Amino acid sequence: MAGEQTGVGIADPALEAAAAPLLDKLVADGVAGKLAAQDPTLWGSDAEAEASIRLSWTTLHKSSRPLIGEIEALRTQLRSEGIDRVVLAGMGGSSLAPEVIAATEGVALTVLDTTDPGQVADALAGDLQRTVVVVSSKSGTTVETDSHRRIFAAAFREAGIDPARRLVVVTDPGSPLAELGEAEGYRKVFLADPHVGGRYSALTAFGLVPAGLAGADVARLLDQAALVADAIAADSADNPALRLAAALGAAHADGAEKVVLADTGSGIAGLGDWAEQLIAESTGKQGTGLLPVVVENKDAPGFADAGSDATPVAIGPATGAAKIAVAGPLGAQFLLWETAVAVAGRLLGINPFDQPDVEAAKKAARSLLDNPDALRGTAEPSAVIGAVEVYASAGTTGEGTLADVLREFLATAPEGGYLAVQAYLDRLDDASASLLRSELAPRAGVQTTFGWGPRFLHSTGQYHKGGHPNGIFLQLTGAADDDLDVPDRPYSLGTLQLAQALGDGQVLAEHGRPVLRLHLTDRAAGLAELMRAVQELAR
């Protein structure tokens, strides 16, 4: 369970033997101690400048302590005013950790990491009289988060509520959002440590403020991290983070470039989704990296039947096909995984703190938003099959039944490659889309991931362009029946969502990755037709 001792077990004898020399080398090189001392030279001269401003996460179990009182004081104030509903507007590192914390603690937190108008409308439909919105962005310019801020500010005004009293900011010092929050007199502006990258920020204000305002015990999280900090900083073969890094590095060297994550009873809700960003964005670059594949459980396709290109990792007790098991409470797991992934970067010969390929998709989406005619004038569908418009990728015809289209597309996956299903839909109302992963995986014959768009762009999006070039991409988009305009911006959420999908698809195609987009003119009917087509495919 979540309170068990922190540790990393390697259940596969062959993997443990392969990891042993890497572990010995890491210990001999004093990597753990140097990392704890925030030595930026660990990843080579090319990474040194970036690493020098990205290592403060190693001491957050100490440096984040002052936040405990600040969060509790604000929470008490808000509750005294009858404000007890917390909405988080944030993407990637600004949303994934607080979502896991809140879910694990069993406290209510509405997370907006979407541009789907339906999902945002559902959040707006909550009781605004009881609502505070945490606007969370490291750069202070995240387009999705800025859109949410504008929409909620307008809704508050319309309801006769002063938006400044209901908006709380989490951002880096000096960001445009920090300046706006101060100028507009927002309820509170929390300034995070600028020397921590977004995906390493679980124990900064980005992770702690939203979860703490929702009622999570953030002091306990820091205590959990503190209890394992000395072991993770030790240059010892018993160091759990070094053991995990060595095992992942050895597996990758042997061709297992995927890491399949399944919860096996950890007591933690959704840690795999947080680890997904950390692993993919940190390691997926320069044509290499570890692709995280988050699956439903230990019996799920891709875990129970993982091939030689994948390493099944249990979050919790070792069970089933797991070759590695990572145990411990949530705060400890945050620090353990962050350390292990940073060290794995050293073993892979890359800089784990940059994300050189993320900006391309954002740039393409902005270009489409700036040219509405180009967005509206996208190519005609290759076919229209019921409630599904087919936009075939290069090298495929898109002809025949929907099952034929899928069969032809799946055939483009190289041996040992992967399929990424990317759903630019409503994570709540269109939740059935997530079932496609387990249905497609045994039929595709390759590891299969699932991501909600544009959420995954701030997570696995880096790996898709910069990692091993063997992925194929199934995009799902859908008609927005009731769109939402973004105040003082020349676009709606539905337009932004489509621009993000098309922009990312364009960049993937430019990288030579096959992309098939299926547009659902009726979402419920289209998803039902798609599921039937998938089930027609032979396993």
Side-chain angles (χ1 to χ4, degrees), residues 146-216:
D146 180 66
S147 298
H148 300 149
R149 180 191 64 80
R150 291 171 182 275
I151 289 169
F152 268 89
F156 282 132
R157 279 191 292 269
E158 188 174 334
I161 300 169
D162 178 7
R165 298 295 296 164
R166 299 302 185 88
L167 295 173
V168 171
V169 164
V170 183
T171 190
D172 273 5
S175 79
L177 184 56
E179 294 172 358
L180 177 68
E182 295 291 349
E184 296 289 327
Y186 286 175
R187 184 67 180 252
K188 177 79 173 177
V189 176
F190 289 91
L191 298 179
D193 188 333
H195 290 167
V196 179
R199 56 189 175 274
Y200 290 82
S201 65
L203 297 178
T204 69
F206 288 105
L208 301 184
V209 168
L213 291 180

Side-chain angles (χ1 to χ4, degrees), residues 194-263:
H195 290 167
V196 179
R199 56 189 175 274
Y200 290 82
S201 65
L203 297 178
T204 69
F206 288 105
L208 301 184
V209 168
L213 291 180
D217 187 343
V218 295
R220 180 167 57 204
L221 277 175
L222 296 177
D223 290 343
Q224 291 167 349
L227 286 174
V228 77
D230 286 346
I232 285 176
D235 287 307
S236 162
D238 294 326
N239 182 324
L242 293 187
R243 284 177 57 79
L244 179 55
L248 294 176
H252 183 274
D254 195 38
E257 68 205 40
K258 290 100 174 172
V259 180
V260 189
L261 302 167
D263 191 279

